[in-house]
Structure formats: structure tokens, C-alpha cells
Amino acid sequence: MNIGIIGGTDLATNLGNKFIARGMDVVFGVREGFSTRKVEWKILRMQNHYVLNYADAITASDIVLICCENEFLPVVCNYLKEYGTDEKLYIDCTNGLHDESLNCNTTYIRKETGHERLFKAFNNLGLDYPKSDPLELIKETYFCGDSREDRILLKKLIELIGFKAIDAGMIKNACLLEAVYHLSKEISHAKSGDCHFRLMSV
């Protein structure tokens, strides 16, 4: 099972390294002109992990994690539509802009690509993870999607890299997961420090 991680973000390298540490085959897809001078990317290249363009990374992957910045999401969607297939599993790890007039990123991706095998996960971490969690307090991530079989697979992948996987139901709840992320950021801004939600069962 090959995992492709699309985007040149901190979240992309962090999740990629976690999967690599667990023995998974991982390729990274970055935009044309992306600089791999940062230490994280230099290490990946030195360890012979593949840093490819969007098209090659998508083609080589069975599971595609979308971890790009919003400004590059339209381009990524074009590549997903052209080089992706219905057999691949797509996981949106991003968050849209905090604007009530806009749909969430997951809705946008499905509309632009036509791919139905789409899930939401890891978005509570944020694209700057782990910088947003210097004390490593986040131990869980929420996920949602329509296929029961794929939910089981995604839960196993999440748990494989050390997070507690919390099933948030169907893909229609993706916008709610983005709202939770934005609310945590609003609270963090008000308190001048990073705040994170934690689900507790009683």
C-alpha cells in the first residue's frame, strides 16, 4: 500500500515521517518550483524518500493525503482529477477559509475532482503541525467519510501513527470538523496561545 502526501507543508512532512517510521511506503508530491532546502526536506531526500511532482505522486499512490495550502488547492484538484482514479482513497487534511459564505475544502475537492472515495482526517492538527502543538498534547484526530470499509481502513492508519481515531460519521460532517478547527483558532487568538479541543467520554 503506497501513501502519497500532497503539499509542501509541515503537516505533510510530519505525517509522512510518522508513516515512514512505521514501515509504510511514502511519496511526497510538491508543486513545481517548490524549494526543498528546509532541513526536513533535505533529510527526506538524503534518506532516498521520493519527493515528486503532483502528477507522479498521485499516480504512484493508493492513498492520497491532501496537505497543501489553500492557495494551491485548485491546482491540486486539477491534478487529482487528471491523474487520480476512483480506486484510490483520498484524505483531505486541510481547512478552508473561516468564511460562512464559502463551502469547506472537502466539499470543494469533491465537486472539482468528482472523486467519491473522499474522507476528512487530520485537519484538527493544522498545516503548521507540530509547531502548533509544541508540548505534543494532541493525541487524537477526527475523521469522517461515507464508506464503512474505508472508515475501518482509515481508523487503522490513524492508529498506526499513534493517534486516537475518533469517527465523526459521514462526509457531510467534514464542514463541522473544519468549524471545530476554526473555533479552536479563534479561542487561541483570544487567549494569545494555542488551544486544542479534546473529546472526553463520561
Side-chain angles (χ1 to χ4, degrees):
M1 184 183 298
N2 295 323
I3 295 177
I5 303 182
I6 306 300
T9 59
D10 292 333
L11 178 63
T13 54
N14 187 269
L15 292 179
N17 283 323
K18 286 180 182 294
F19 282 117
I20 290 168
R22 300 299 294 171
M24 302 294 289
D25 293 321
V26 178
V27 297
F28 297 86
V30 296
R31 66 186 181 275
E32 184 177 343
F34 176 77
S35 174
T36 55
R37 294 177 183 173
K38 277 190 173 183
V39 174
E40 298 89 341
W41 293 100
K42 284 184 177 179
I43 292 173
L44 287 170
R45 283 194 178 276
M46 288 171 55
Q47 295 175 340
N48 295 322
H49 292 294
Y50 295 108
V51 180
L52 311 172
N53 58 41
Y54 289 152
D56 290 342
I58 293 167
T59 301
S61 305
D62 303 304
I63 299 174
V64 179
L65 278 70
I66 304 162
C67 300
C68 65
E69 299 94 335
N70 285 336
E71 62 187 291
F72 303 114
L73 190 58
V75 175
V76 168
C77 285
N78 288 337
Y79 278 96
L80 290 173
K81 185 176 182 178
E82 183 174 355
Y83 295 96
T85 65
D86 292 338
E87 290 74 30
K88 298 180 188 292
L89 177 64
Y90 303 92
I91 303 169
D92 173 27
C93 309
T94 69
N95 292 288
L97 298 175
H98 183 33
D99 188 333
E100 293 181 0
S101 66
L102 300 175
N103 288 323
C104 71
N105 279 1
T106 313
T107 302
Y108 175 81
I109 293 168
R110 174 170 276 188
K111 178 182 176 183
E112 293 299 312
T113 66
H115 295 309
E116 294 294 322
R117 203 177 171 205
L118 177 64
F119 277 70
K120 186 84 167 182
F122 300 113
N123 75 296
N124 65 305
L125 303 179
L127 293 182
D128 58 346
Y129 182 84
K131 292 178 182 176
S132 58
D133 183 31
L135 299 180
E136 299 183 0
L137 298 175
I138 303 176
K139 303 296 183 184
E140 59 198 19
T141 190
Y142 313 94
F143 68 97
C144 63
D146 291 341
S147 165
R148 181 178 179 276
E149 292 77 13
D150 286 336
R151 284 215 300 272
I152 293 172
L153 172 60
L154 182 52
K155 183 175 186 291
K156 289 179 179 178
L157 286 173
I158 291 170
E159 292 173 344
L160 178 69
I161 59 174
F163 290 101
K164 181 179 180 180
I166 299 175
D167 192 333
M170 307 296 277
I171 196 65
K172 63 184 178 67
N173 294 331
C175 294
L176 297 178
L177 295 186
E178 288 197 13
V180 168
Y181 170 81
H182 288 304
L183 180 58
S184 71
K185 290 302 171 186
E186 288 293 317
I187 295 173
S188 297
H189 180 71
K191 289 186 171 291
S192 300
D194 287 313
C195 296
H196 305 283
F197 289 108
R198 186 167 188 175
L199 193 66
M200 298 179 66
S201 57
V202 293

